[in-house]
Amino acid sequence: NAGVTQTPKFQVLKTGQSMTLQCAQDMNHNSMYWYRQDPGMGLRLIYYSASEGTTDKGEVPNGYNVSRLNKREFSLRLESAAPSQTSVYFCASSIGTSGTETQYFGPGTRLTVT
Amino acid sequence: GQQVMQIPQYQHVQEGEDFTTYCNSSTTLSNIQWYKQRPGGHPVFLIQLVKSGEVKKQKRLTFQFGEAKKNSSLHITATQTTDVGTYFCAGITGQGAQKLVFGQGTRLTINP
């Protein structure tokens, strides 16, 4: 039981390049989330998905797109990376659909945009 | 939107000293959760508080939820080097689309 897994662990992009961050969970959770973590800013919600087939914007969605591929997988895409998107990205999941349950986090992806 | 403010941002203590971090919300919270993130790691759930005035303990950690459900605190007694990390509170307003809103975190460092 791996919990929440994320790939890649590290990535360096040039401005304007695109990439997709992958996230998968094997806990049969309904909700999945993408956060970014910047120094002094805590965790800010980018997008979330309360169930398969649904996605909603969080606090900082601009510059990102998401896909809930199936119940297990939730990907985050940067279409044209910018230096302001340099951050640590965490995927998380929770069992219910209300968004209020305990969240289980993946190990994170450290992204640098030059 | 809803904000959850957490203070202090940083705290450095000598091993054995106590530590407290505070979390305040501009709106009433339906519940509050606490997470710990070790350096280089990911947030890990510690506890959830739901009731007004609730106090819960986990060994040397004491969590409180205010009577008005607008504030919360985490107190660590006699810190140990294993307590190093960043502690986050996360609140839910219970209004409209419910999502956890995380505080900025308190980074705890300890001098052994």
Side-chain angles (χ1 to χ4, degrees):
Chain A
N1 191 338
V4 180
T5 56
Q6 291 183 237
T7 55
K9 286 186 168 53
F10 301 93
Q11 184 72 51
V12 178
L13 291 178
K14 294 187 190 305
T15 298
Q17 287 185 320
S18 63
M19 79 160 295
T20 300
L21 281 64
Q22 307 286 354
C23 174
Q25 52 89 11
D26 62 1
M27 298 177 283
N28 201 34
H29 284 177
N30 287 292
S31 294
M32 296 185 75
Y33 313 82
W34 275 106
Y35 292 91
R36 61 177 288 171
Q37 184 175 33
D38 303 293
M41 302 290 287
L43 291 156
R44 292 185 292 171
L45 184 65
I46 305 170
Y47 272 93
Y48 68 101
S49 170
S51 61
E52 186 179 349
T54 67
T55 60
D56 285 287
K57 295 179 180 179
E59 182 186 354
V60 288
N62 290 345
Y64 306 95
N65 285 301
V66 291
S67 295
R68 184 74 182 267
L69 304 169
N70 47 56
K71 193 172 185 179
R72 288 189 64 249
E73 298 172 288
F74 189 39
S75 63
L76 178 72
R77 183 158 179 85
L78 286 71
E79 290 291 351
S80 179
S84 61
Q85 294 178 305
T86 293
S87 188
V88 180
Y89 291 85
F90 287 102
C91 177
S93 69
S94 63
I95 192 166
T97 59
S98 72
T100 64
E101 308 89 3
T102 299
Q103 295 189 13
Y104 297 83
F105 286 80
T109 295
R110 294 183 180 274
L111 175 67
T112 302
V113 183
T114 61
Chain B
Q2 179 199 356
Q3 286 198 336
V4 175
M5 307 301 293
Q6 196 173 347
I7 56 171
Q9 191 172 356
Y10 302 98
Q11 183 77 59
H12 179 76
V13 301
Q14 291 289 126
E15 188 174 15
E17 291 182 338
D18 292 357
F19 159 77
T20 305
T21 174
Y22 301 90
C23 190
N24 295 289
S25 171
S26 55
T27 58
T28 302
L29 302 169
S30 60
N31 68 46
I32 194 155
Q33 300 177 15
W34 285 91
Y35 291 76
K36 177 183 178 181
Q37 183 179 23
R38 294 184 186 275
H42 58 276
V44 175
F45 174 78
L46 292 176
I47 208 160
Q48 176 170 281
L49 305 171
V50 180
K51 299 177 184 175
S52 169
E54 188 170 14
V55 178
K56 287 189 177 180
K57 293 191 175 185
Q58 290 180 349
K59 297 182 182 178
R60 294 176 295 101
L61 277 61
T62 302
F63 303 84
Q64 292 189 330
F65 202 8
E67 293 290 342
K69 300 183 76 173
K70 286 187 174 183
N71 56 72
S72 181
S73 65
L74 158 59
H75 180 82
I76 302 178
T77 303
T79 55
Q80 300 175 359
T81 54
T82 53
D83 296 325
V84 164
T86 301
Y87 293 85
F88 293 97
C89 62
I92 301 159
T93 59
Q95 299 169 357
Q98 298 186 56
K99 297 181 293 292
L100 275 180
V101 177
F102 281 81
Q104 299 94 326
T106 296
R107 183 178 170 192
L108 173 64
T109 55
I110 298 175
N111 210 18

